[in-house]
Structure formats: C-alpha cells, structure tokens
Amino acid sequence: MSKKVMRTVSFVLSLLLLISLVPALQPVVSAEAGWKELQVENGGFEAVPGSEKDIPSWVIWSGGQKTGMNLSDEKAFEGERSLRVDNSGSFGLFSQLIDVKEGNSYKMTAQLYVDELVAGNPGIWLRWYDADGKSLGNTPKYFEGLKEGQWQEVAVEADAPARAAGVKVFLYQTTSTVTKGYYDNIHVFEKSNEQLELPFEYGDPINLGPSALAAKTQGAAIGDGEVYYATNGSPATFYANDAETGEKIFSHELPGSDVVWGMTIGSDGNVYFAGTYNGILYRYLVDEKKLEEVGKSPSDNWIWQLDATEDGKIYGATYPNAKVFEYDIEADTLTDLGRFHEEQNYARGLGVTGENLYVGIGTTAYLMKMNRETGEREEIDLPITGTSTSVSNVWEYGDRLFVAYGTSMLVLDVETGEVVHEMNWQDEAAYDGLISPPSPYDESLIYFKDKRTSELWTYDMDTDETQPVEPRVTLPASPVKAFEWTTNKEGKQVLSVLHHQIEYSTYDPETNEANVIYPDVELQGLSIQSLEIGPDENVYMGGYQGSFGVFDTSTESYLLRERNPHQIEGIGFMNGNVYMGIYGGALIYKYNPELPFKYEDGKSGDNPEMVHDIGDDQSRPFTFASGDDKLFTGTIADYGKLGGALTIYDEKTGEWNTIRNIIENQSIIGLAYKDGTLYGGSTTAGGLGIDPTEERARMFEYDAATGDYELFDLEVEGIETPEMIGELSFGPDGNLWGAAYGVNAEGKANSVIFAMDPDSKEIIKQKEFYTGVHRGSQWRPFFMRWDEEGMLYTTAARKLTVIDPETMMSKQLIGDTVNLMDIDKEGNIYYAAGADLMKLPVPLESAELTAEDSSLMQGETSELDLKVTLANGQETDLAGAKIKWENSNPEAVELGEGEVTALNAGTAEIKATVTYNGQTVTTDALIITVDVSTATLAEQIQAMKENGDLDHATAKKLVNKLKQAQHHNDKGRTEQALKHLADFSKHLDRSNAEENIKALLERNVQSIRDGWDAGTGTLSQ
C-alpha cells in the first residue's frame, strides 16, 4: 500500500474515532483534585494547516516577526505534529480566547522540547481580557534550567484578575531570547475559588488625570544652537529645542522609560541617550530630526551615564552589575566591557579621554581606570575609597582629575594622584553636582553653580582655588544638568547651562551677563510616588523625582499641581498639618493646607517648609503614624547602608528624637499608634547597593511616654521567613492588623494578612494571599485601609483586594498592579496608575427629592433637600456631582439654588437628575402646589403696576375688587364675595393689559374662586 493511501486510511480512521469520542470533548477533571480542563482550540497543534505558514486556531502576534514559528511533523510529544520554534528575534503566538471567571485559579501546561537554547529563556504568558475584549494585563513566566534534547513540562499558574472574562495563551520569545525547539500539548485547567460576595459591584474606574504637572529632566546635552533633554514622566519624552528662542524643534515619547539620566553628543554630532529600565540606547539624528533605536545595552538595563569620545565611541555605565558597555558609531556594534567591581552594583559615574576610561563605583566608593587601547585596568586610590558613597562623575581637564561624589568633590593631580583640593557638600562654595569644561577664554578656569546661593563660581586649575564670579551672577535655583561652551548666533563663545526644571541659562564672561530662557516644553504628569487621603478628605500626592498634588474629593477637582517639593516618599497627618517625607537625607516637610502654597526652596516661611532633617544615614521616609500630639516616622537607610530608624516628633515640646537601628540592620515600613503605644514592622532591606544581613523582618512595641521598647517576632502560617511587615493598622475590632511578605515552606513568595491581639501578641486570624506573586518594592508597605462598614482594603502583593475581617474571604477589585490607594468617607477608592489618579467609585443607588413644604402660598419659598444614596448606604457629597433640574411648570414655581419659590396658582413637578461616579439617577417627581390669596394677588398686581404691565386705573380697580371680595368672605357672605371676584374678571378682561397678563391673573383669581366654592374657608389677608 502506498504512503499516500496509508495516510488517507489513517485520516479516515482518526475521523471515525474522533466522532465516536464526541463526549470526551466536554471538560474533564484533571488528575489533580479540583482542577477541570478547559478546551484550548488546537492545543496539540494537530489540526491540518491550510498552508505552510498557517497555524490553525492560533494568531501571530502583530508586534513581532512574522517568521520563526510553524507547524512541523518532525517531532511531537503526542500525535503527528507540534509547533516548531526557530526564531532570530521577537515573536509571539496567541491562542483563541478561553472563557474564565474572575477570582478562579487557572493553570496552563505545555510540553517543550529544546534542541538548542541560544540565548535567554523562552516564555509563556497568560493574557487576561474583560468582557469587552480589553486587555487587563499579563501573567508572564520564563522558563529557566531547561534541558536540551528531551520533552519537559512547563507551566504557568495564576488567579484570574478582577473583571476578567477571558484568557489567551501567549507563546512568546523576546528579542533577547533565541530558541530552537518545539511546543506541544497546550492544556488549560480551571479551579473554582470561593470569593467574597460584595453587596454591590464597583463602577468602572474613573481617570482623574495626572496629580501634578511638571517638566523636569535628569539627563541633558547642549549643542551649538540646540539643547536636548528628556523630561521625567510616564513615559519620559525626549526634546530638542532652539537654544536662542526656546522653540521646540522635535519631541518624542519614550515608552518603557520614565527617567533618562544618560545623555551625550557623539563625534557624529548626534545625540545619544538611554533610560533606567529598558536598556535601549537611542540616537537622535540632528540633521534629519529623527529618533531611532541603536540597540539594547549588552550589559545591564539600568543606564546611569553616557559619555562620548572624539574617536567615535559612546560609553555607558550601568546597574545592577557595575558594568560598562561601548558603542562603536562607525562599526555600529555594542560591546559589554564587563564588571568594573565584583562586589558593587553601581557603575555610577563615567569620565573618558582619548587614552583612558574612568569608572566611578558605588554604593561603596571606588574609582577604576581602563586604558582604552589595551583594556588594562587599575584602581585609583582615593581618600573616600571603601566608604559608603558613590563616585557619581569624573572629569579629566588638563593635569587635574575631578572626582565627584554627590555634591562633594576631590581634585587630583593626574600624574601623581595627589589630592590638591577638596570640596565638601557642607562648604560655603559647595557645587551642585556638575562642573563646566575649561573656559575658552582662560583654560585654567572651570565654572560651577554654588548649590546654596545659585551663584556662579570658578575653580582655577593653576592655583586650585575657588571664588565667585564678580560682579556676582545668580543662575536659576534648580540643579545644573548640563554645562557646555557653545557659539551663539553672534559667533561668541558662551557658557550654556541647562537646569533640572528646564531653564536654559547662558553666561558671557566678557560682558559678565547671564540670560535665562524657558524652552517650549509640555508639562506632563509624573508617576505618583505617594498617596494619602487626609482628615480633610483631600488626596495628597507626591511624584517620582518631585512634584506635589492635592485633589479635593468633594468638588472632584485639583487644588494644587505644583513642581515641588522633591520626591515625597510618604505622607502623614497631625493636628491639621500635612507632613511629607522627602527622599534624599530623609527630610521632613510640613504643609498647612489652610494657608496659601508658597515654595522657593523649603526654607522657613515657605509652605511647605522643611522642619527637620533626620540625617543619620537615612534616606526614604515611607511610613507615618500620629497620636497624642506625637508624629512617628519610619525610614529606609541610605544607599549602601543598613539600619533604618524610628523618628519621633513631640509637637508640645518641639523636640525630635531618632532611634537608629531600633530593629538592627532593618528599615521601618509599618507603624500604628493607639492609646500611648506605637507598634512597628520592618523590612530586611536597607538602601540600594547592599544586601540584607538579617534573615527575618521583626516587630516592635514602643511606649510613647517612657521611650521604652521591646522587639518581637511575627509567626504566621504561610511565611517561613518574613521579609516585610507593614503596613500595620488597628481595626474596628481593636486588634492590630498587618500585612506581611516572605517565602513559604516551598520557597514560594507569599503575602499574609493577619490580626494580632496587641497585648498578648497572639495571632487571632490570618490568611495567605497571592502565593507565588513577588512583593515588588522592597520598601513600600502594603497599604491597609478600613471603610465605614468595617471592610478591610489592602494592596497585598500589589493587588487591590477587599477582605471581610470576620470571614477573611476576599475579592480582588481590579486586575492592574496597585501600589498606592486610600478610601474616602463615601467608600470610593482612590489609587495611582502611573501619573494618573484613579477612582474606583461606589455606584449610585437612589436619589430622593423632598421639600420643607410642598404646598405653598404665592410668594413663599421652600427649601429643597436632594439626597443621593450610594450602593453601600452612604449618602454622597454632591459638591462634585452634576445636577440637572426639571421644572414642569415655570409659571407656577421658580426653581432656584436648592429652593423653590411660589409664583402663581398651579402645580409643578420638580425632578433632579444626578450624575456622579460615572452613573446617572433621577428622582421621583416632587409635586409642588401653589395657592393664591386675595392679599398675595393684590401684591402681585401692585408689582405689575410698578413694572408697567398694568396701568394705574386698572390696578386700582382690581385691588379694590379683591378687598371687597375678601371683606364679604370674612363675614361669611360667600355669594357676594364670589360676585366681586366675577367683577374682578370683568375689569381685567376690559383692560388694556397684554393677553398673557390677563391669562395669568385670571388663573390666580380662579384659584381663589375655586377655594371659596369648595368651602375651604377664609383665605387670610
């Protein structure tokens, strides 16, 4: 029998077998208890392709290469075919959508055969979607330790995020991953999880916009006639501006980067720069006004500094492996030069000459020198070598080597290595981090900006002396990010300076004149770094690398969007003031929200103003608590340091007290205060650039009256070794609640929410959350907040979750990562998403409209009461709501601000339509009835006479008839009273009044007539 006939017979038999097994296509229970298999279309890749490139039921990812994966019969785990992988770049393949239910657990398994793993690690993602098909994010997994030449099972497991309705399997190879092999037998399993049933579903998230708008840069470069920089933001944006006019020449967003530190101009005249996350080296082609990617750093992704040489090389210093890479412009090659210190993380500073490359190391300081031709390396001994700091910049000018560490600097003789001058950050003439190249007017002079006074100073390399420029020249206060000598349009050499807040200064040494322009730059939101709701129900926020925003939750509007102060890590409140913990030196600022915002540099009289410098090798104040006129602050140690601190401020005495190493070699990230006792929790982490030495995070109890404290360990199931304990919060039950993170007995990441008896330290209850999910930041605590109904909200594992403290059942509220959140008094949740403040709203339940009095006499006013209730039973503050009023009869009543005024006889239906939290509700109709008396009608007629609507004679006759009618009615003579009202109508009809006036007055007198006819009694005057 021929091979072709055999295949035909095999296909027919397979088809018959498939038909006979139709019931087997229904979901089956996995071998593991509780798991049910879901159908993955063509998960075994057995469907016959329609063409060579066809992969039935799978979709090639549009963002990668279109080659690199195809069906193959060369190898299969089961059946006849598998998916062949042989890629040279980024590639991806999506399955069809599989229905899921939020909160349930899902597991994807696959068989993977590796012929050759050329680079990187292959990965599979689960990509989640909501009911509208919008992506909710990914659960990625990259597979390490794979063996070549055999089939092996790989798996991805995760809980479906909030609002998830579907998932796709995404077979993914990154640009840096090159694999030759096969995938087969893709299976997906589901396990149902019992979830907390909330009494309502939150509304769709509302984007309230960026919390602060600013323009700041870390990396900059200056060319002849143009300035270049990248603004901090989400994402960062590269700019080129005209140096004379400030006009924008070019700008482009940089997805994947929020801060760019490294920027330089190459020997080709083009601008090279790189950010701190994705490792991509960019090039801006100046003549073409075009941005392009040069390539990815072969060293590390975090690039601190770039420097260029005249012979066509670009060098980059990286973190976290203290490496340096070289880019050859002509050859278009990127080369990893390797580590420059085996024990340190930061290659922080660079300096390059025709002969040598200098590399500054941190967080323990070293200075390395490499001969660029031979590659030979040596260490240059410094007075700061081995101390806890970082060499942040290096310059060789003439016979002097300038070595910067922060705003301190050593000046060495290049030949002898002797230190000829020192500049300390505390000196009167402390520079602010950068120095200029030598002056073209006097090559012995370099310039710098005094960080205290912002005055321009010089350093004389012949005498090794510093002095201010005379007459004194003051530059903008924000730090210098680039110095360069440039040629202006008059052909003169001037010192050009680009500052942190995008101010551009030029200084002419011949005229001693300085000019400042402000380049055209779009203000943009900075990633939110801190967020807290104060007692005034305002949301206070700080931005990454600086900025300060205040959002009024009542009016739903921003009160402040300021550029300063610098990066706020944590926010606390005490006695009406807002306290901010500032990164870098652990500075504490105080802001009085009752006073106008005023900021120059945080000095006395500013609002906010700097009220305390914690110092003591502290850097980041991440947590606050307060009570009984005491403010408590927990801080992270500085770069390369261990040992955080607890700082206590006593407002009554004005004293500050810092306890360093209250938990030895650990930083404080969780604080809760009650009845004179403060409880604290730690993270084992110190500052960047140093590994923890302590195995377990711990807790402490501090007596605020005596200052005594004791330490104790946290023992919870699910965490063998706690690495973070915080936040802490006292719950409505009086117990101390906390969030902890660490690894479980199986070595998996785990987060645990616990309740502790504060007296006995006994764990009352606990529950594990998001096993296998990493904590993210090693410093930022998991937030914990309580609503008015006593429900607990947390960001454990950086996922926004609500927990019933009675049952410990929970529900994830949104699928995105959430680092920062708080809850207002209505129960709405505010959280950060990059630069934007988001609101997860409680939906509207009902709206009710009532009146102080719904039956009014003409001329009377009644107050209206509009009450809008949310789904959680809370009554909403309507200051931020949009209200549309309806009045069915404007002639009868006038609708004012929160009130109705009776105008004329009749009834009116009043309704209010309220739009709030993204929803709209309308009240039932409120019926307002207006009655008229002879007295009120007479007043109306007098008013009409004064307005010219009635002539004097007519008005007089009408009023007289009303008085006579009322007189007879008061005597009980109804028939005579009605006759006078009839006469009123006759006089009105014969008058010269406008028809609409006649009709209005006739309706009003008819109202009186109807009342008397009905025997309702006397209408008072």
Side-chain angles (χ1 to χ4, degrees):
M1 187 178 293
S2 71
K3 189 174 183 179
K4 182 176 181 181
V5 173
M6 283 290 290
R7 285 183 175 172
T8 302
V9 172
S10 175
F11 175 75
V12 172
L13 291 174
S14 298
L15 184 60
L16 291 171
L17 180 60
L18 181 63
I19 293 172
S20 69
L21 295 176
V22 167
L25 293 178
Q26 301 302 316
V28 298
V29 176
S30 162
E32 284 188 71
W35 290 96
K36 178 181 68 175
E37 185 169 5
L38 305 179
Q39 184 176 352
V40 181
E41 293 184 34
N42 197 23
F45 302 104
E46 292 300 307
V48 179
S51 66
E52 184 179 338
K53 295 183 178 180
D54 183 30
I55 305 175
S57 300
W58 293 78
V59 178
I60 296 175
W61 174 47
S62 61
Q65 296 179 326
K66 302 301 179 286
T67 60
M69 291 187 183
N70 61 279
L71 293 183
S72 171
D73 57 6
E74 297 171 358
K75 195 178 294 293
F77 180 78
E78 283 184 356
E80 296 184 355
R81 274 176 287 274
S82 65
L83 180 72
R84 172 67 175 166
V85 179
D86 187 357
N87 72 305
S88 59
S90 179
F91 191 95
L93 195 66
F94 281 107
S95 73
Q96 297 298 303
L97 190 69
I98 303 165
D99 290 340
V100 300
K101 181 181 178 182
E102 64 175 7
N104 280 355
S105 297
Y106 293 87
K107 178 166 57 176
M108 188 283 320
T109 64
Q111 294 294 327
L112 175 58
Y113 187 102
V114 178
D115 278 335
E116 181 183 3
L117 188 57
V118 180
N121 298 300
I124 299 179
W125 294 14
L126 298 179
R127 177 162 291 181
W128 308 96
Y129 296 86
D130 65 13
D132 296 324
K134 177 185 175 183
S135 175
L136 295 174
N138 306 296
T139 301
K141 182 71 177 289
Y142 296 94
F143 307 113
E144 301 177 356
L146 296 172
K147 297 178 182 179
E148 295 182 357
Q150 66 182 58
W151 286 101
Q152 53 220 300
E153 184 175 274
V154 293
V156 185
E157 187 173 339
D159 291 344
R163 301 173 185 263
V167 68
K168 292 181 181 180
V169 178
F170 183 36
L171 306 177
Y172 181 48
Q173 307 282 107
T174 66
T175 303
S176 58
T177 299
V178 179
T179 306
K180 300 179 186 298
Y182 304 85
Y183 282 101
D184 205 354
N185 277 35
I186 309 291
H187 293 279
V188 172
F189 302 92
E190 177 184 50
K191 182 167 67 175
S192 297
N193 294 325
E194 190 177 13
Q195 291 191 77
L196 173 64
E197 290 293 332
L198 292 174
F200 62 89
E201 292 293 329
Y202 282 90
D204 292 333
I206 300 170
N207 191 328
L208 301 170
S211 66
L213 296 171
K216 298 185 179 184
T217 187
Q218 297 296 352
I222 305 173
D224 279 337
E226 294 185 7
V227 294
Y228 312 102
Y229 54 92
T231 54
N232 303 342
S234 295
T237 301
F238 172 80
Y239 280 86
N241 289 78
D242 185 285
E244 296 288 340
T245 66
E247 181 183 355
K248 183 177 73 173
I249 298 171
F250 176 88
S251 70
H252 198 284
E253 289 188 347
L254 306 172
S257 295
D258 57 8
V259 178
V260 170
W261 283 89
M263 186 174 294
T264 190
I265 298 177
S267 59
D268 58 356
N270 294 317
V271 184
Y272 293 81
F273 61 95
T276 53
Y277 282 114
N278 58 20
I280 295 175
L281 178 63
Y282 294 93
R283 173 167 50 207
Y284 172 63
L285 302 174
V286 174
D287 292 339
E288 299 178 42
K289 298 179 177 56
K290 177 183 175 183
L291 188 66
E292 62 183 12
E293 291 186 15
V294 172
K296 189 176 174 61
S297 160
S299 302
D300 300 314
N301 282 352
W302 188 295
I303 300 171
W304 273 112
Q305 192 169 340
L306 295 175
D307 214 341
T309 66
E310 294 180 358
D311 60 355
K313 303 293 193 301
I314 306 291
Y315 291 91
T318 71
Y319 163 88
N321 293 301
K323 288 186 170 187
V324 175
F325 67 84
E326 177 191 85
Y327 175 64
D328 187 313
I329 296 174
E330 183 177 356
D332 192 26
T333 56
L334 283 157
T335 305
D336 181 13
L337 301 182
R339 294 193 74 142
F340 274 71
H341 200 287
E342 292 300 320
E343 297 176 358
Q344 297 300 306
N345 301 120
Y346 288 82
R348 181 63 181 86
L350 281 180
V352 64
T353 67
E355 180 181 0
N356 296 314
L357 170 70
Y358 296 95
V359 182
I361 302 297
T363 56
T364 300
Y366 297 92
L367 178 60
M368 308 300 296
K369 180 172 78 171
M370 184 188 83
N371 184 286
R372 293 181 55 223
E373 182 177 353
T374 67
E376 181 181 353
R377 305 182 187 190
E378 63 177 296
E379 181 183 340
I380 298 176
D381 188 43
L382 302 172
I384 61 170
T385 294
T387 63
S388 181
T389 187
S390 295
V391 175
S392 54
N393 228 320
V394 187
W395 303 271
E396 183 183 313
Y397 294 137
D399 60 357
R400 292 291 182 261
L401 185 68
F402 297 85
V403 181
Y405 54 108
T407 55
S408 297
M409 186 161 60
L410 300 169
V411 185
L412 283 66
D413 184 294
V414 171
E415 295 298 325
T416 67
E418 175 190 2
V419 176
V420 297
H421 189 82
E422 293 188 44
M423 297 174 66
N424 189 277
W425 66 274
Q426 294 176 310
D427 291 346
E428 176 191 4
Y431 80 127
D432 74 347
L434 287 183
I435 62 174
S436 78
S439 168
Y441 299 97
D442 183 346
E443 292 190 354
S444 68
L445 291 183
I446 64 168
Y447 288 80
F448 63 91
K449 184 171 79 75
D450 186 302
K451 76 172 186 178
R452 298 178 184 275
T453 66
S454 296
E455 292 177 339
L456 195 61
W457 282 56
T458 60
Y459 181 92
D460 191 322
M461 291 187 285
D462 289 340
T463 64
D464 295 309
E465 295 178 345
T466 62
Q467 64 180 20
V469 168
E470 294 289 355
R472 300 294 178 100
V473 172
T474 301
L475 299 177
S478 69
V480 173
K481 292 302 173 181
F483 269 121
E484 192 59 70
W485 290 96
T486 64
T487 303
N488 65 18
K489 63 181 180 181
E490 285 82 27
K492 293 190 66 175
Q493 292 274 287
V494 294
L495 180 62
S496 298
V497 189
L498 192 66
H499 299 260
H500 179 48
Q501 296 193 33
I502 324 295
E503 308 100 336
Y504 178 63
S505 308
T506 55
Y507 169 69
D508 185 338
E510 291 190 326
T511 64
N512 203 49
E513 291 182 354
N515 293 306
V516 181
I517 67 169
Y518 298 90
D520 180 14
V521 58
E522 183 177 349
L523 299 180
Q524 63 186 107
L526 305 181
S527 293
I528 299 174
Q529 183 73 4
S530 51
L531 182 155
E532 299 282 349
I533 295 181
D536 56 6
E537 289 293 299
N538 290 334
V539 186
Y540 293 87
M541 292 160 283
Y544 182 57
Q545 295 290 331
S547 79
F548 177 43
V550 182
F551 182 83
D552 187 330
T553 62
S554 175
T555 63
E556 301 241 297
S557 61
Y558 281 97
L559 302 177
L560 288 177
R561 279 172 161 167
E562 299 293 339
R563 295 187 178 195
N564 291 297
H566 188 53
Q567 184 169 311
I568 304 168
E569 301 283 30
I571 300 172
F573 306 93
M574 182 174 71
N575 296 339
N577 291 314
V578 182
Y579 289 86
M580 310 170 190
I582 306 297
Y583 159 66
L587 307 177
I588 305 299
Y589 278 64
K590 182 176 75 172
Y591 172 69
N592 184 346
E594 297 297 320
L595 299 177
F597 177 91
K598 174 192 173 187
Y599 187 92
E600 293 183 9
D601 56 9
K603 64 185 179 183
S604 178
D606 279 2
N607 187 38
E609 69 171 310
M610 198 270 281
V611 292
H612 187 63
D613 181 350
I614 292 177
D616 207 0
D617 291 331
Q618 300 302 293
S619 179
R620 304 172 190 265
F622 263 96
T623 187
F624 286 85
S626 64
D628 298 329
D629 301 314
K630 291 182 174 65
L631 180 75
F632 306 94
T633 308
T635 48
I636 311 296
D638 208 346
Y639 285 83
K641 301 281 187 180
L642 291 171
L646 170 67
T647 297
I648 305 101
Y649 169 56
D650 188 323
E651 189 176 60
K652 290 182 177 178
T653 66
E655 295 179 352
W656 293 82
N657 177 39
T658 296
I659 306 172
R660 174 83 183 274
N661 276 313
I662 188 169
I663 301 179
E664 191 70 23
N665 294 327
Q666 300 196 33
S667 300
I668 306 305
I669 62 166
L671 295 173
Y673 179 82
K674 184 178 181 182
D675 298 335
T677 303
L678 177 76
Y679 294 85
S682 71
T683 172
T684 56
L688 283 176
I690 192 169
D691 294 327
T693 59
E694 308 303 309
E695 183 179 353
R696 299 175 60 89
R698 304 190 71 193
M699 299 183 69
F700 67 82
E701 181 181 21
Y702 173 87
D703 188 315
T706 66
D708 296 333
Y709 63 88
E710 62 173 313
L711 308 183
F712 60 95
D713 289 318
L714 174 67
E715 301 288 347
V716 290
E717 297 175 6
I719 296 182
E720 292 289 301
T721 52
E723 297 175 23
M724 289 174 56
I725 304 172
E727 283 188 342
L728 302 174
S729 175
F730 279 96
D733 58 4
N735 289 319
L736 179 64
W737 288 74
Y741 170 88
V743 295
N744 61 16
E746 299 174 359
K748 290 185 178 180
N750 214 6
S751 299
V752 171
I753 300 297
F754 64 88
M756 172 189 293
D757 184 311
D759 297 322
S760 68
K761 313 299 188 295
E762 176 188 358
I763 300 300
I764 305 299
K765 57 182 67 174
Q766 65 169 61
K767 187 176 180 181
E768 301 172 37
F769 289 88
Y770 306 110
T771 301
V773 178
H774 194 267
R775 66 185 171 188
S777 169
Q778 61 187 339
W779 303 316
R780 178 177 283 121
F782 295 148
F783 279 37
M784 301 184 73
R785 298 291 185 268
W786 302 88
D787 69 11
E788 296 292 330
E789 286 71 49
M791 301 293 278
L792 174 62
Y793 296 76
T794 179
T795 59
R798 313 301 174 194
K799 299 184 185 298
L800 182 55
T801 306
V802 57
I803 302 170
D804 184 333
E806 294 294 327
T807 65
M808 297 301 284
M809 291 182 65
S810 65
K811 179 181 177 64
Q812 186 182 349
L813 295 178
I814 63 172
D816 301 329
T817 295
V818 176
N819 291 303
L820 306 164
M821 58 78 64
D822 210 338
I823 303 175
D824 69 10
K825 63 183 179 182
E826 293 180 355
N828 303 301
I829 302 172
Y830 293 82
Y831 64 97
D836 294 327
L837 175 63
M838 305 294 293
K839 178 180 181 180
L840 193 63
V842 179
L844 301 182
E845 179 72 20
S846 62
E848 181 184 12
L849 183 62
T850 58
E852 184 181 27
D853 191 346
S854 61
S855 182
L856 302 177
M857 182 62 67
Q858 185 181 35
E860 290 182 342
T861 295
S862 177
E863 291 187 5
L864 297 175
D865 182 21
L866 176 59
K867 180 179 179 182
V868 177
T869 304
L870 300 175
N872 60 2
Q874 295 293 319
E875 184 176 342
T876 186
D877 177 355
L878 294 174
K882 293 181 180 179
I883 304 173
K884 179 182 178 182
W885 294 93
E886 294 179 48
N887 179 2
S888 67
N889 190 354
E891 279 197 347
V893 299
E894 180 183 63
L895 187 58
E897 187 69 29
E899 63 181 22
V900 288
T901 300
L903 300 178
N904 296 288
T907 60
E909 292 187 357
I910 308 298
K911 293 182 181 179
T913 298
V914 181
T915 300
Y916 182 66
N917 278 354
Q919 291 186 318
T920 299
V921 292
T922 301
T923 65
D924 291 337
L926 172 66
I927 307 299
I928 301 294
T929 301
V930 179
D931 291 319
V932 178
S933 71
T934 55
T936 63
L937 183 54
E939 290 179 6
Q940 184 180 25
I941 290 169
Q942 286 295 118
M944 286 181 171
K945 182 190 75 172
E946 293 173 4
N947 289 336
D949 294 327
L950 291 174
D951 60 65
H952 176 77
T954 299
K956 184 175 181 181
K957 290 178 182 178
L958 295 177
V959 170
N960 285 336
K961 288 300 177 182
L962 289 174
K963 288 181 178 179
Q964 292 172 17
Q966 185 64 50
H967 172 74
H968 286 290
N969 190 65
D970 289 343
K971 297 296 183 179
R973 299 190 289 266
T974 304
E975 185 176 345
Q976 291 91 327
L978 291 174
K979 181 180 182 303
H980 284 288
L981 291 183
D983 291 341
F984 174 97
S985 296
K986 290 177 183 178
H987 285 303
L988 178 63
D989 185 55
R990 294 171 187 158
S991 72
N992 294 325
E994 297 286 342
E995 291 302 317
N996 63 319
I997 298 295
K998 291 180 179 180
L1000 183 65
L1001 295 179
E1002 180 56 37
R1003 285 198 297 272
N1004 286 340
V1005 79
Q1006 184 61 42
S1007 172
I1008 300 172
R1009 187 181 293 118
D1010 291 343
W1012 290 354
D1013 273 342
T1016 56
T1018 301
L1019 294 177
S1020 68
Q1021 299 184 39

